[in-house]
Every structure is written in C-alpha cells, then in structure tokens.
Amino acid sequence: MVRRTSLKEADCPVARALDAIGDWWSLLIIRDAFSEARRFGEFQKSLGVAKGILSARLRNLVELGILEIAPASDGSAYQEYVLTEKGRGLFVVIAGLRQWGEEHCYEPGEPHSALIDNETRQPVGRLELRSADGRVLGPLNTSVRLNPMPPAKPSGRP
Amino acid sequence: MVRRTSLKEADCPVARALDAIGDWWSLLIIRDAFSEARRFGEFQKSLGVAKGILSARLRNLVELGILEIAPASDGSAYQEYVLTEKGRGLFVVIAGLRQWGEEHCYEPGEPHSALIDNETRQPVGRLELRSADGRVLGPLNTSVRLNPMPPAKPSGRP
C-alpha cells in the first residue's frame, strides 16, 4: 500500500475504503467469513496460506473493525471471527468483484462458482447503480461532486 | 499479492478478479480514468506518486487489458490512457467501495466527495444486489454454488 497516511485523510471515500480494508488479499478472508468460515483452521483450509500470515491478516481485520472475536459457538475454547456490521457492508463490493471476475476472467465455458438466490436457486441479478428514481446509471451519467465545494465536476468518476 | 499463480487458476471469480486487477492501489488510477484523467501528468497530479511507480502501474493496467493506449485526443504527440470495456466494468466495484467508505470511514459531518446523478444533481441510490425478480438480496439469502458440482452450499458467501 502506497501513501497510507494520505489515503486515510483523503476526501475521496474510494481512497479511504481502500485504506480501511487494509490490503487486497484480505477480501478473500472476508469472502470466506460470508461463507460461514469462523475459525482459524477454516480460513486456513480455504486460503492455504502460512499460519503467521493468516494470523496477522485476521488480527489486522479485527483492528480495522471488520471482524470481531467471539467465543466459540459450540462452547469450546476456540476463538471465532465474525463479521461486524462494517464487515457485512462489504457484501456488495465482493459481489461486484465476483460479477466482474465472472465476465472478464474466464474463458467461455470454463467452470467457476456462482452466487445464487436461496429462494429460487437461480443466479443473482447483475449489480446496477441506480438513481433515486430507479434509472440505471453508468460512468457517463454520473459525476463526482467535491465537498465542501458545491459545484459538480461533469465526469463519470464513481 | 500472495499466491498469485493459484489465484489466477481459482474457480472463485472473486479471487480471479483480485488477481486481474493486479493491486489494490491501481483502483485509484481506474477511479481517475472514470473521472476523465487520460494523460500521465493528469494521473500524477491526482495521485501524487513518483513517476516510476505510476508508470509501472499504468503499464500493468494496459497489460491486464483494463486500460489501453490511445493517441492524444488533441492531435499532439502525447499518449493517453483510456478504459477498455473490461476496465469500464469496474464501475460498480468502485461505486460500492465509495458507498462503503462514505458509511464507515468518516466521522459524522466530515466532508467527502459524493457521486451524483447528472440529471437530478442528487446523490446516486445505494447499490443493492437483487434477485432476477427484483428482491433485494444480502448475505443471508444467497449462497455460493460450486461448479461444476451442482449442489449449493447454504451460506451467504458473495
């Protein structure tokens, strides 16, 4: 991560979000937490990384307020890691990465996992950014307004 | 980036997407490209990083197929960097990071930039994942189906 301090102070929420997640690779830990991984060994089995590295990343996510430590759900002495409300808020970010990966990172017909709706067992719909009145928005019909300066910059910066 | 090779081969689109973007910090370059930055100097002015680092990141994004090099739009000898279709597909990912950052990375009342709808000049709506028939979905009513194995795992992994 470059320029950690200035990102933390940034007036752009994209930059602060990148800083607050800590590092790219931690999103795979968060993905697994959405998938009911709770214990160190479950994350390690899924991710296949060295214990020391995983331990440092988990600790960092707890410090960032994305995971919290909870007593084991079965009453044993194990610690469990569960997503906080802040961590659960990353659901759409991970879903967006998933959909982009499905579309751009596989050969036609190459198998990959898919996110499905539990009720219909069908794939979820495509993530879309919409206006307050429901129109689908893209880069060309959105702009970044810099605060506290009110005038909007006519561009498609998300 | 840990385990680059295995992420490239991953059957999880989230892992492949992380690998394909290359590094976290590059998302700020992509954010600026959505905001009409096209020339090296424009990215440098926005990001404030050393020329050598920015140059390597831009080259990497071109190799990844996220940016492409185009002749200068004013007929001068400058090179410009423009988003490919693959790059433009990251719009919702960056919008999702922005909304998460707005919600979790600022004190109440602390100023930050905002993404607005050009037509109404109002902030865009909140990104929501929906089912094919329009219900809002979250971690608790979605599951990851592993391919090519058909049975779904009952969890909320996005």
Side-chain angles (χ1 to χ4, degrees):
Chain A
M1 199 71 173
V2 183
R3 300 190 316 138
R4 173 163 291 272
T5 306
S6 60
L7 288 183
K8 209 179 293 265
E9 302 302 321
D11 63 3
C12 171
V14 181
R16 282 218 195 167
L18 295 179
D19 188 70
I21 292 167
D23 72 286
W24 222 181
W25 184 88
S26 293
L27 283 175
L28 296 181
I29 297 178
I30 300 165
R31 172 201 65 180
D32 286 346
F34 277 118
S35 193
E36 300 183 346
R38 298 172 71 99
R39 294 189 183 176
F40 189 90
E42 292 171 330
F43 290 106
Q44 207 201 1
K45 188 175 168 194
S46 167
L47 298 165
V49 288
K51 286 183 179 180
I53 293 174
L54 179 59
S55 181
R57 302 293 165 99
L58 284 167
R59 195 164 50 237
N60 191 238
L61 287 170
V62 171
E63 280 166 12
L64 292 166
I66 290 173
L67 291 177
E68 62 189 353
I69 294 175
S73 40
D74 62 1
S76 70
Y78 286 102
Q79 274 190 338
E80 295 189 347
Y81 296 90
V82 295
L83 290 163
T84 61
E85 189 213 340
K86 182 175 177 180
R88 288 192 301 274
L90 288 165
F91 182 72
V92 292
V93 172
I94 296 179
L97 283 166
R98 169 179 286 281
Q99 294 187 345
W100 184 79
E102 287 175 351
E103 190 162 341
H104 295 288
C105 304
Y106 289 84
E107 297 298 321
E110 192 181 359
H112 57 74
S113 66
L115 187 65
I116 62 164
D117 168 9
N118 288 345
E119 194 171 314
T120 62
R121 316 306 291 167
Q122 295 302 307
V124 301
R126 200 176 170 72
L127 261 183
E128 289 171 329
L129 187 70
R130 291 178 181 268
S131 62
D133 56 356
R135 282 168 293 115
V136 177
L137 300 173
L140 297 178
N141 40 24
T142 52
S143 311
V144 170
R145 185 176 59 199
L146 302 175
N147 267 333
M149 305 287 279
K153 189 176 162 197
S155 80
R157 175 167 164 177
Chain B
M1 200 70 176
V2 184
R3 301 192 316 138
R4 174 164 290 273
T5 305
S6 60
L7 288 183
K8 209 181 291 270
E9 301 302 322
D11 63 3
C12 171
V14 181
R16 282 216 194 168
L18 294 178
D19 188 72
I21 292 166
D23 71 286
W24 222 180
W25 185 88
S26 293
L27 284 175
L28 296 181
I29 297 177
I30 300 166
R31 172 202 65 179
D32 287 345
F34 277 119
S35 194
E36 299 182 348
R38 297 173 70 100
R39 294 188 184 176
F40 189 90
E42 293 171 330
F43 290 105
Q44 207 202 0
K45 188 176 168 195
S46 166
L47 298 164
V49 288
K51 286 184 179 181
I53 293 174
L54 178 59
S55 180
R57 301 294 165 100
L58 285 167
R59 196 165 49 238
N60 191 237
L61 287 170
V62 170
E63 281 166 12
L64 292 166
I66 289 173
L67 292 177
E68 63 190 351
I69 294 173
S73 39
D74 62 1
S76 69
Y78 287 102
Q79 274 189 341
E80 294 189 348
Y81 296 90
V82 295
L83 289 162
T84 61
E85 188 212 340
K86 181 175 176 178
R88 289 191 300 275
L90 287 166
F91 182 73
V92 291
V93 172
I94 295 177
L97 284 166
R98 169 179 285 282
Q99 295 188 344
W100 184 80
E102 287 174 351
E103 190 161 340
H104 296 286
C105 304
Y106 290 84
E107 297 299 321
E110 192 181 0
H112 56 73
S113 66
L115 188 66
I116 61 164
D117 170 8
N118 287 344
E119 195 170 313
T120 62
R121 317 306 291 167
Q122 295 303 306
V124 302
R126 201 176 167 73
L127 260 183
E128 290 171 329
L129 187 69
R130 290 180 180 267
S131 63
D133 56 356
R135 281 169 293 115
V136 177
L137 299 173
L140 297 179
N141 40 23
T142 52
S143 311
V144 169
R145 185 176 58 198
L146 302 175
N147 269 332
M149 306 286 280
K153 188 175 163 196
S155 81
R157 174 170 165 174

